[in-house]
Amino acid sequence: MTKKKMVQWDPADVKAELLSKYPPKVARKRAKQIMINEALENETPEITANVRTTPGIITMRGCTYAGCKGVIMGPTRDIVNLVHGPIGCSFYAWLTRRNQTDAGPDGDNFINYCMSTDMQDSDIIFGGEKKLAQAIQEAYDLFHPKSIAVFATCPVGLIGDDIHTVAKNMKEKFGDCNVYAFSCEGYKGVSQSAGHHIANNQVFRHIVGENDEEKPGKFKINLLGEYNIGGDGFEIDRIFNKCGITNIATFSGNSTYDQFASAHTADLNAVMCHRSINYVADMLETKYGIPWIKVNFIGAEATAKSLRKIAEYFGDKELIDTVEAVIAEEMPAVDEVVSDVRIRTDGKTAMMFVGGSRAHHYKELFNEMGMKTISAGYEFGHRDDYEGRQVIPNLKVDADSRNIEELVIEADETRYRPRKTEKEMKALEKAGLQFKHYDGLAPDMDNDTLIIDDLNQYEAEKLVELMKPDIFCAGIKEKYSIQKLGVPMKQLHSYDSGGPYAGFKGAINFYNEIDRLVNSKVWSYMKAPWQKNPQLSAAYIWE
Amino acid sequence: MLLRHTPKEIPTERKALTINPAKTCQPIGAMYAALGIHGCLPHSHGSQGCCAYHRSALTRHYKEPISAATSSFTEGASVFGGQANLLQAINNIFTVYEPDVIAVHTTCLSETIGDDLKQIRLKAQNEGKIPEGKYVIGAPTPSYVGSHVTGFSNMVKSMTEFAETTGKKNGKVNIIPGWVEPADMEEIKRMAKLTGVKTILFPDTSGVLNAPLTGEYKMFPDGGTTVAELKSAGDSVGTLALGEWCSADAARELDKKNKVPCNVLDMPFGLKATDRFVDALRKIAGVTVSDELALERGQLVDLISDMHQYFYHKKVALVGDPDQLISMTEFLVSIDMCPVHIITGTPGKKFEKRIREITKDMPFEVNVKAKGDMFLLHQWMKNDPVDLLIGNSYCKYMARDEDVPLVRWGFPILDRQGHQYFPTVGYKGGLRLLEKILEALLDRKDRDDPEEKFELVL
């Protein structure tokens, strides 16, 4: 059975210890980003989030370009993504996020390509607009794509290249190719998060609503904020198909231009990653009248719950029955594995510091294995991701994020159509279905656990040292330093080349993977026999 | 097909669009170089995305923690200058992480706005933000000039800031190994030791990026060139710079600044380049080459003769960084293979000239391009197929589409492990390269031969 390793540190002591080494100014700031959770008493204290990174602190965070191109737009397979900048930005986002795509027999798939204007010093000095226009032309001539997306990088904003006008001119010139641009310079905002917002705005402005054609199928939804890492989206789609739910558009795992263009024809938006896509969810509701609900397909029980929510929304007897039948059919295989691994995982502890949503979603999977999450946090979550959307009216946009555009959306004159009457919505709410609602991470965390925003290298190491979790979950930059400490580390961005982890089959994959990691023999090999027993007392045995 | 949109036809030359680059940007090279200084934390003066990307890419290649800090520019800093960010960073880094050295490099952001690193360092010094006995060095590494190789070179050059001339020679030879694996640096030191030459190797990532798993995490592992060694480099009898692109600038700077004469050699990949390296060491030190090195050389020649039938006139496509490609091309030609398509993303006119010289007697037409990309390489392969492809992990997409055996070599290798432990430089490294090439060719032969031709003994 598992050995009890949890060191009985008081969370306030852990927090004090984390802060003790900082210069006073840094300590004051970090104190507000480290919260001891008291959610169970319903006294959720306030956390500071979505604020600038402390220079030199060794943050895990990336930039706005990564949030825009890398996360939201990258996974779309039939749009040519052209990065306007020096080569690095494009190179590092080249196949490094595991957004799987399936082009079908004769579909377009540009996911394996990396395209850049590869700006040189002359472009910095004289401007890069001409080169950008030429690059768009060359991409068009070579590939004849439906659409070309242009992404700005740090120097583009500084030298004043007008990428939007270049894109507009090229779009007009081609006639059959939608060209648009994203002002996602890396220095904007304070993290990837600003890039999500910029991507949401431009997708909504330039693509959503472009195709009014009625798609076949019943129970039409959009799956928002699901990027098909390691095939997660494939597994979710498998389950949708089985249930008879029609997925019009996934934003944006294995997606196509046309999916975005048709998104306004769906009847419900199911939001997975709240942080990255809640803007599109809100805009689709305001402009077209499509309500949204929060779902989570990470965890078998969470998956079942999310399917039931969708069925409840449509209120169709046949759908409700099918969903129940699918759950009943899928669960035995899940139960079999979980009851096996639970013998070896029950009571173990986990820490999770992942982007903007997974630190919450994966808690469900750990719960199912009897594992306790003792500390969690986001790189770039906002307060609503921690505390719930009810705090949104009180959020102040600070100076560092003020320049991120907020689109003003109004109901579409001809296409706005409430999917449910007010009465129907009220009835659904009364029955427990919550619209436009997300509770955030904190209420799901136990009392006295530590919720930490924008965790850095020093704090990660210190946390592991003090609280000795059985597994630590974060990204590639953290992986090997944690493992050097002898603690297994699971990447919850890339899944360490594994997956899917979503849906029923994904849950099984995850249980097996965590079982493997926390029970691997390798963690017992760190000391050689002569290090365990340095005293040399015996003589040569043959003497 | 993974790269289904790549056409065989090459109608017009692309002028503005780079597709599937055979290079990346400067700062990652500077970060790698800085990790080769003992007790050094690399610092990226720009917005934090660069630093995150560079750390991730290096981590994926070495499967090791890569520590580096960043100035985390915001929009305000990007307009008004990043001085305050860097000063704060220096203070925070020395307080929290306690390195001996902070090695600052820049990005396209701080270079475009024109931040003056020297002036900021001076200000940090004057404000007492750099503790006694600690150092901040810096190199400008604009991403819109050259490539990751240029960034590596710029940071190595900045290391010569440490070099002091005391007037008393230390009897050592500086070796600047260039961007090679930690195991290669180890191997270069071993070869030098076998010739009996005392050396200062910088940078040196051995012991840094191949650290053991012991239950203890050292942000600053035991390896790396020490500041004392870097200071002493100014008193050395000479410098051997391995690779024109990676190492020559630093060597020439030492020559200019500290009057340490230098000799720029090719990176010691393959038989001939290793011969020249060992010979140069021998001449500098005035020693006889040890029997052990002569034995290793003989073993490499033996393997070449034993396996020659599988190499002879096989066509190879190559992509990578210029210094490595020059030596590799020479090695392949020297064993009668035929490198026919050669691409580097790194600019430099000398590259094409050197390759043409090395391949001038080859029986096949050679395509060579500096500032090329993998899209062009793929098109060349479609028009003139090859028997083998040598390059980094990104080559696996072309290898699978064209059904060509692939030998992973260069940077980055993201999908295999072990490369950080086994050298490919020197005679020993040559043996390993040949083994890898043979393995790829013979695996393919075993896969493709019809059953009646399937052989036990090869």
Side-chain angles (χ1 to χ4, degrees):
Chain A
M1 264 310 286
T2 58
K3 203 174 73 195
K4 202 85 183 139
K5 276 211 294 190
M6 175 80 175
V7 174
Q8 291 306 322
W9 276 75
D10 185 82
D13 294 340
V14 174
K15 181 170 174 176
E17 183 69 19
L18 292 181
L19 298 174
S20 65
K21 206 178 179 189
Y22 288 134
K25 218 177 119 188
V26 177
R28 277 199 298 280
K29 185 177 169 201
R30 289 301 300 153
K32 294 182 208 154
Q33 287 176 276
I34 301 174
M35 168 169 109
I36 299 165
N37 197 42
E38 298 166 352
L40 289 188
E41 276 79 46
N42 214 10
E43 295 166 16
T44 310
E46 203 175 295
I47 192 165
T48 294
N50 191 31
V51 293
R52 66 168 64 173
T53 316
T54 305
I57 206 73
I58 313 195
T59 178
M60 298 172 172
R61 283 174 170 178
C63 67
T64 301
Y65 160 81
C68 180
K69 194 275 176 185
V71 172
I72 311 273
M73 297 310 294
T76 305
R77 63 176 166 81
D78 60 355
I79 297 175
V80 162
N81 286 328
L82 173 59
V83 180
H84 187 38
I87 200 68
C89 307
S90 186
F91 180 87
Y92 302 113
W94 182 16
L95 294 166
T96 47
R97 283 177 65 81
R98 299 182 55 232
N99 314 108
Q100 298 186 356
T101 52
D102 164 20
D106 42 23
D108 285 337
N109 192 356
F110 299 106
I111 194 95
N112 298 324
Y113 292 91
C114 166
M115 307 204 205
S116 170
T117 55
D118 188 11
M119 290 176 97
Q120 300 295 304
D121 42 1
S122 55
D123 303 314
I124 301 295
I125 298 163
F126 302 110
E129 288 177 17
K130 273 193 190 142
K131 192 176 193 184
L132 175 60
Q134 173 70 19
I136 294 170
Q137 183 69 51
E138 287 174 4
Y140 178 79
D141 293 342
L142 265 171
F143 305 117
H144 301 286
K146 297 177 186 72
S147 176
I148 298 174
V150 174
F151 300 89
T153 60
C154 286
V156 171
L158 299 174
I159 63 172
D161 273 2
D162 183 357
I163 56 173
H164 300 285
T165 301
V166 173
K168 189 165 156 271
N169 292 343
M170 296 311 280
K171 178 183 173 174
E172 280 163 13
K173 184 178 174 192
F174 299 146
D176 62 351
C177 176
N178 192 356
V179 190
Y180 39 86
F182 297 81
S183 288
C184 54
E185 285 86 348
Y187 54 75
K188 290 196 168 163
V190 298
S191 67
Q192 289 93 312
S193 180
H196 301 151
H197 199 160
I198 291 163
N200 277 236
N201 288 349
Q202 294 298 76
V203 164
F204 201 78
R205 186 184 262 146
H206 292 283
I207 319 181
V208 171
E210 288 289 301
N211 184 0
D212 283 329
E213 183 195 332
E214 192 62 32
K215 302 278 167 178
K218 281 162 88 177
F219 315 121
K220 291 174 194 170
I221 67 163
N222 296 316
L223 182 60
L224 302 188
E226 161 48 54
Y227 302 100
N228 202 24
I229 304 287
D232 277 352
F234 290 148
E235 165 66 1
I236 298 170
D237 277 341
R238 179 188 73 85
I239 298 167
F240 284 164
N241 284 340
K242 234 173 139 174
C243 295
I245 296 165
T246 307
N247 184 4
I248 297 290
T250 300
F251 282 62
S252 55
N254 192 36
S255 61
T256 59
Y257 178 84
D258 185 60
Q259 287 188 17
F260 294 152
S262 305
H264 64 301
T265 65
D267 294 319
L268 175 71
N269 286 312
V271 174
M272 271 284 280
C273 172
H274 174 261
R275 181 68 272 133
S276 65
I277 212 78
N278 75 88
Y279 316 96
V280 158
D282 281 347
M283 291 188 283
L284 276 170
E285 177 161 25
T286 310
K287 187 166 179 180
Y288 299 104
I290 312 171
W292 69 263
I293 56 170
K294 178 76 181 73
V295 293
N296 176 21
F297 290 99
I298 304 296
E301 285 161 28
T303 299
K305 198 172 148 195
S306 295
L307 290 173
R308 287 185 178 119
K309 271 186 178 179
I310 293 169
E312 192 183 346
Y313 168 80
F314 285 104
D316 179 274
K317 173 83 170 56
E318 197 188 319
L319 177 63
I320 292 168
D321 290 347
T322 316
V323 161
E324 289 307 326
V326 168
I327 294 169
E329 193 188 326
E330 298 276 341
M331 280 310 282
V334 173
D335 290 339
E336 193 184 327
V337 178
V338 86
S339 59
D340 171 38
V341 301
R342 213 180 155 124
I343 301 166
R344 296 177 296 277
T345 56
D346 199 38
K348 296 211 176 212
T349 57
M351 289 183 181
M352 278 186 281
F353 296 92
V354 202
S357 76
R358 288 193 173 105
H360 187 194
H361 288 164
Y362 276 77
K363 199 177 170 298
E364 300 267 358
L365 271 170
F366 282 122
N367 285 351
E368 289 167 10
M369 307 174 76
M371 290 177 66
K372 183 172 149 66
T373 304
I374 54 175
S375 188
Y378 299 127
E379 282 169 51
F380 49 76
H382 297 197
R383 273 186 60 202
D384 40 320
D385 302 298
Y386 287 106
E387 301 169 47
R389 280 180 68 94
Q390 74 281 358
V391 303
I392 289 178
N394 309 323
L395 295 186
K396 281 202 190 79
V397 180
D398 72 8
D400 294 321
S401 300
R402 199 173 295 144
N403 288 344
I404 309 304
E405 185 187 23
E406 194 76 52
L407 290 191
V408 180
I409 303 294
E410 282 164 10
D412 190 284
E413 279 176 26
T414 53
R415 295 181 291 180
Y416 180 85
R417 178 170 60 83
R419 292 337 197 239
K420 300 269 176 190
T421 63
E422 242 173 77
K423 203 176 139 200
E424 283 169 332
M425 290 293 274
K426 283 241 162 63
L428 283 168
E429 276 170 358
K430 209 174 160 199
L433 200 60
Q434 292 172 299
F435 293 96
K436 217 174 169 170
H437 177 92
Y438 177 46
D439 269 336
L441 166 69
D444 259 357
M445 291 288 287
D446 290 348
N447 199 0
D448 278 350
T449 52
L450 283 162
I451 298 180
I452 307 178
D453 181 63
D454 188 16
L455 185 85
N456 58 54
Q457 176 64 37
Y458 168 73
E459 290 167 10
E461 202 188 320
K462 205 81 195 161
L463 262 188
V464 168
E465 191 187 295
L466 296 177
M467 299 178 78
K468 295 186 171 43
D470 292 293
I471 194 159
F472 188 94
C473 305
I476 183 73
K477 299 192 292 296
E478 297 77 44
K479 181 172 177 85
Y480 298 99
S481 62
I482 299 297
Q483 292 200 160
K484 293 280 190 222
L485 290 163
V487 172
M489 192 312 181
K490 178 67 197 168
Q491 292 186 65
L492 286 189
H493 298 273
S494 77
Y495 302 166
D496 296 291
S497 310
Y501 293 147
F504 299 109
K505 294 203 165 142
I508 292 172
N509 290 338
F510 192 77
Y511 303 145
N512 285 325
E513 173 68 355
I514 297 303
D515 176 33
R516 177 187 75 76
L517 274 167
V518 299
N519 294 303
S520 164
K521 292 189 187 70
V522 69
W523 311 115
S524 67
Y525 302 148
M526 283 175 291
K527 292 279 171 277
W530 57 89
Q531 290 167 323
K532 286 178 190 159
N533 253 325
Q535 229 69 32
L536 195 59
S537 53
Y540 283 119
I541 52 168
W542 56 77
E543 274 179 359
Chain B
M1 298 291 270
L2 294 158
L3 300 166
R4 58 176 66 200
H5 302 284
T6 305
K8 186 177 173 186
E9 301 71 37
I10 314 174
T12 50
E13 199 188 341
R14 279 172 285 128
K15 289 195 183 72
L17 180 65
T18 294
I19 313 174
N20 299 354
K23 66 167 179 184
T24 182
C25 65
Q26 283 210 34
I28 193 170
M31 189 181 281
Y32 179 59
L35 290 166
I37 302 175
H38 178 72
C40 177
L41 189 73
H43 182 88
S44 168
H45 186 52
S47 60
Q48 68 209 8
C50 312
C51 187
Y53 276 139
H54 300 143
R55 290 177 64 202
S56 299
L58 288 169
T59 296
R60 289 180 180 121
H61 177 83
Y62 292 104
K63 315 293 182 202
E64 286 288 323
I66 304 289
S67 298
T70 161
S71 296
S72 294
F73 273 53
T74 56
E75 191 158 16
S78 306
V79 177
F80 301 112
Q83 174 174 287
N85 291 54
L86 185 51
L87 291 175
Q88 263 185 59
I90 289 171
N91 188 38
N92 290 338
I93 291 167
F94 279 128
T95 310
V96 180
Y97 296 105
E98 305 175 53
D100 298 330
V101 183
I102 299 173
V104 185
H105 61 260
T106 59
T107 67
C108 46
L109 176 55
S110 52
E111 287 296 327
T112 303
I113 65 177
D115 270 0
D116 182 351
L117 273 193
K118 278 215 170 91
Q119 177 260 318
I120 300 174
R121 282 159 61 196
L122 196 68
K123 196 169 162 66
Q125 192 84 55
N126 293 341
E127 290 178 2
K129 291 201 162 69
I130 305 173
E132 193 64 32
K134 306 267 182 174
Y135 304 88
V136 176
I137 61 168
T141 51
S143 313
Y144 42 77
V145 175
S147 75
H148 57 295
V149 177
T150 322
F152 180 91
S153 168
N154 285 340
M155 182 51 80
V156 179
K157 187 179 167 191
S158 82
M159 291 176 197
T160 63
E161 277 183 34
F162 281 113
E164 292 170 355
T165 308
T166 64
K168 204 182 152 209
K169 289 284 174 192
N170 61 20
K172 293 179 180 175
V173 175
N174 299 325
I175 301 180
I176 307 178
W179 187 328
V180 289
E181 298 282 324
D184 291 322
M185 300 195 184
E186 196 75 62
E187 178 64 9
I188 288 167
K189 285 193 285 189
R190 190 188 68 92
M191 284 194 291
K193 207 171 164 188
L194 282 179
T195 59
V197 181
K198 289 201 174 95
T199 55
I200 295 172
L201 186 90
F202 72 92
D204 181 4
T205 56
S206 65
V208 179
L209 295 180
N210 48 8
L213 177 57
T214 60
E216 186 192 357
Y217 167 58
K218 290 181 179 170
M219 180 175 275
F220 307 109
D222 299 336
T225 314
T226 62
V227 169
E229 287 175 301
L230 289 171
K231 285 183 176 175
S232 181
D235 287 333
S236 294
V237 295
T239 304
L240 289 182
L242 307 183
E244 176 68 39
W245 276 259
C246 284
S247 309
D249 282 357
R252 288 179 190 132
E253 180 70 13
L254 272 179
D255 193 346
K256 200 172 89 186
K257 189 168 86 73
N258 302 81
K259 308 282 174 281
V260 179
C262 69
N263 193 353
V264 180
L265 300 173
D266 290 324
M267 283 183 171
F269 293 106
L271 182 70
K272 290 184 170 182
T274 305
D275 280 350
R276 293 195 295 274
F277 170 62
V278 174
D279 211 36
L281 271 176
R282 171 188 73 113
K283 283 175 183 161
I284 287 170
V287 293
T288 313
V289 174
S290 73
D291 291 346
E292 204 171 333
L293 267 177
L295 172 75
E296 288 174 14
R297 183 182 189 278
Q299 289 170 329
L300 178 58
V301 176
D302 189 62
L303 182 62
I304 296 170
S305 84
D306 291 346
M307 292 290 130
H308 186 259
Q309 59 174 318
Y310 300 109
F311 300 138
Y312 189 67
H313 283 190
K314 289 284 189 303
K315 289 183 175 180
V316 189
L318 287 170
V319 58
D321 300 334
D323 291 325
Q324 288 87 337
L325 287 182
I326 285 168
S327 300
M328 180 57 106
T329 302
E330 186 193 47
F331 187 36
L332 296 175
V333 169
S334 75
I335 61 173
D336 294 311
M337 291 184 91
C338 297
V340 289
H341 310 309
I342 306 165
I343 288 263
T344 184
T346 300
K349 287 202 182 95
K350 282 183 196 160
F351 178 75
E352 291 177 22
K353 204 170 149 240
R354 278 296 310 273
I355 296 289
R356 296 244 176 255
E357 272 167 27
I358 293 166
T359 55
K360 65 179 188 309
D361 296 327
M362 236 178 55
F364 296 105
E365 193 70 30
V366 181
N367 287 317
V368 55
K369 194 167 163 51
K371 277 185 91 174
D373 58 28
M374 290 199 200
F375 190 80
L376 177 62
L377 181 77
H378 193 181
Q379 290 182 303
W380 283 349
M381 284 166 61
K382 281 177 184 289
N383 285 287
D384 184 3
V386 294
D387 302 296
L388 181 71
L389 174 60
I390 300 179
N392 66 27
S393 287
Y394 284 102
C395 291
K396 74 195 271 184
Y397 292 79
M398 295 180 282
R400 180 166 149 146
D401 276 2
E402 303 306 320
D403 198 19
V404 176
L406 168 66
V407 168
R408 287 171 179 78
W409 184 71
F411 178 85
I413 295 172
L414 308 170
D415 59 336
R416 293 292 188 273
Q417 296 222 29
H419 49 87
Q420 66 270 53
Y421 296 113
F422 302 104
T424 53
V425 296
Y427 303 119
K428 287 264 188 215
L431 287 173
R432 178 158 177 266
L433 277 174
L434 286 191
E435 194 206 5
K436 282 172 79 98
I437 291 170
L438 265 175
E439 187 91 6
L441 293 173
L442 295 183
D443 276 353
R444 178 55 51 96
K445 180 175 161 55
D446 281 342
R447 193 199 76 181
D448 291 348
D449 277 344
E451 285 188 8
E452 67 278 15
K453 302 258 185 200
F454 191 75
E455 303 266 2
L456 175 68
V457 182
L458 290 170

